Amino acid sequence: MNDALVLVTGGTGFIAQHCMLALLNGGYRVRTTIRTASREMEVRRYLKAGGVEAGDRLSFVIADLGADEGWAEAVAGCTYVMHGASPTPSGSYASEEDWIRPAVDGNLRVLRAARDAGVKRVVLTSAFGAIGAGHAASHRRPFDETDWSDLTGNVAPYQKSKTLSEKAAWDFIAREGKGLELSAVNPVAVLGPVLGPDYSHSIKIVENLLGNWTGCPKIYSCFVDVRDVADLHLRAMTHPAAHGERFFATSGEGMWLADVAKVLRRRMGAVGKRATTRVLPNWFVRLASRRNPRLKGLVPMLGVDMSATGKKAMRLLGWSPRSPEEAIVATAESLVGLGIVKR
């Protein structure tokens, strides 16, 4: 058991909550940031749904990535920081700058506070969007950790924010880190057990397949279970080989969304039979995106091979993730269990 104190930023986040579960189960003490005190009980409720009564091993600090207040208090006494709080596609941001500036400034604010507090290592939650976006079809596949998204290509604001904010973090460490260590975890589409109604945008794929979509956009993606993403964060936090490295969090081969629907139909009984395997033509999705803003983010991914490999994390850190099928089923079961998807 390890009694070190770990700061996890953005405690209301899906990945952050599973990281807290993994840390608390591992004996660590956890501090997390929230923007309003009223959300503390909500976070504790989510962790309880995940099987952990945190008690006094979990503490809270009010802090916002857009301001300096609270961050010195948040990192005080911490050995490690897991930083994943960032704008996501669920946010109502008006312009590209509204995505990028908070992500870049937020990373630098956390890193500066961690360095000044004598934190040993920060694990940054980055994304596939910092690696595999904007590339030409001729670019080699699968993507690996040596790749960076090509911002001259067709890149969504979220992907651009993830790319520029991760690069800013590595630049900060090189120029003024003063011994602060950094590792990055870059998840692909994150699935797995939902703890409550506040969850990641990737979960919407399974939710939509189980009732909202009349067909599957032609998207080919890799998937990973959030519990394995949390496990990789812990390994990146403590393993000597993780210092200065980035790691793809991805499990197995990529899948077309129609293949995800086939898993749901095979494994989820009557609920799964709602999932359609019909593939929507790309032109139809592009046309529909003009009327439905939620579809706009899918357009740059239509027909794109987003294969990625997690072999580096497996080789260096001994990471052993669940299969994509297990992650898909766990997602669906939790959505049904919470009543988000009706039986």
Side-chain angles (χ1 to χ4, degrees):
M1 300 290 279
N2 193 318
D3 198 45
L5 178 61
V6 182
L7 173 68
V8 180
T9 66
T12 57
F14 180 55
I15 293 175
Q17 287 164 9
H18 278 275
C19 284
M20 287 190 278
L21 287 172
L23 288 163
L24 290 162
N25 281 326
Y28 292 92
R29 292 177 296 126
V30 176
R31 181 183 294 151
T32 191
T33 60
I34 49 179
R35 286 186 290 181
T36 57
S38 61
R39 300 200 73 177
E40 175 177 341
M41 293 314 297
E42 175 189 340
V43 173
R44 289 188 180 275
R45 190 167 64 249
Y46 284 1
L47 296 182
K48 184 177 179 180
V52 173
E53 284 275 14
D56 60 4
R57 296 188 66 77
L58 174 65
S59 57
F60 292 78
V61 170
I62 308 301
D64 190 306
L65 288 173
D68 290 334
E69 290 78 17
W71 288 106
E73 180 187 354
V75 296
C78 291
T79 306
Y80 305 105
V81 171
M82 291 185 182
H83 173 48
S86 179
T88 70
S90 59
S92 54
Y93 297 93
S95 71
E96 190 172 86
E97 186 65 13
D98 289 332
W99 288 88
I100 294 168
R101 185 47 49 198
V104 172
D105 289 352
N107 277 5
L108 297 179
R109 184 166 277 114
V110 172
L111 288 170
R112 206 171 286 120
R115 176 201 63 194
D116 293 348
V119 167
K120 176 178 173 61
R121 182 179 295 177
V122 173
V123 180
L124 174 68
T125 311
S126 188
F128 173 88
I131 291 179
H135 294 284
S138 58
H139 186 90
R140 59 149 178 78
R141 305 295 201 274
F143 293 109
D144 64 28
E145 293 85 353
T146 64
D147 292 309
W148 286 94
S149 290
D150 183 354
L151 299 186
T152 65
N154 191 359
V155 179
Y158 168 73
Q159 296 166 330
K160 192 169 185 179
S161 75
K162 281 297 189 180
T163 305
L164 294 175
S165 61
E166 189 190 338
K167 284 190 171 184
W170 289 113
D171 289 345
F172 173 88
I173 292 296
R175 287 199 316 269
E176 48 189 308
K178 297 181 180 177
L180 175 64
E181 297 179 358
L182 179 66
S183 301
V185 174
N186 297 68
V188 292
V190 181
L191 301 180
V194 175
L195 303 175
D198 194 354
Y199 47 82
S200 78
H201 56 279
S202 298
I203 297 293
K204 280 283 184 186
I205 295 169
V206 175
E207 183 184 349
N208 286 326
L209 285 172
L210 287 173
N212 296 329
W213 281 350
T214 57
C216 300
K218 195 175 180 181
I219 290 176
Y220 186 84
S221 176
C222 289
F223 297 93
V224 66
D225 191 292
V226 67
R227 293 165 293 184
D228 297 319
V229 176
D231 177 59
L232 183 51
H233 275 73
L234 261 68
R235 292 169 187 267
M237 183 180 84
T238 58
H239 200 295
H243 169 38
E245 301 288 345
R246 59 204 304 237
F247 297 96
F248 243 141
T250 179
S251 167
E253 299 294 321
M255 300 173 69
W256 292 103
L257 293 191
D259 293 324
V260 176
K262 288 175 185 175
V263 170
L264 293 169
R265 291 182 66 83
R266 187 173 70 249
R267 296 285 303 275
M268 287 301 298
V271 171
K273 295 299 185 285
R274 298 178 202 152
T276 177
T277 58
R278 183 167 72 97
V279 178
L280 298 172
N282 290 347
W283 66 262
F284 178 85
V285 178
R286 290 191 181 98
L287 185 65
S289 72
R290 296 179 187 175
R291 299 190 306 274
N292 185 348
R294 292 182 179 180
L295 293 177
K296 282 186 179 178
L298 300 180
V299 172
M301 297 183 278
L302 293 172
V304 176
D305 181 354
M306 293 190 286
S307 300
T309 174
K311 287 182 179 177
K312 179 179 176 181
M314 297 173 195
R315 184 183 72 252
L316 286 184
L317 307 184
W319 186 57
S320 181
R322 294 164 179 81
S323 69
E325 180 161 329
E326 287 179 85
I328 293 164
V329 172
T331 307
E333 289 176 342
S334 66
L335 290 172
V336 172
L338 288 168
I340 296 168
V341 169
K342 302 303 179 188
R343 293 185 184 277

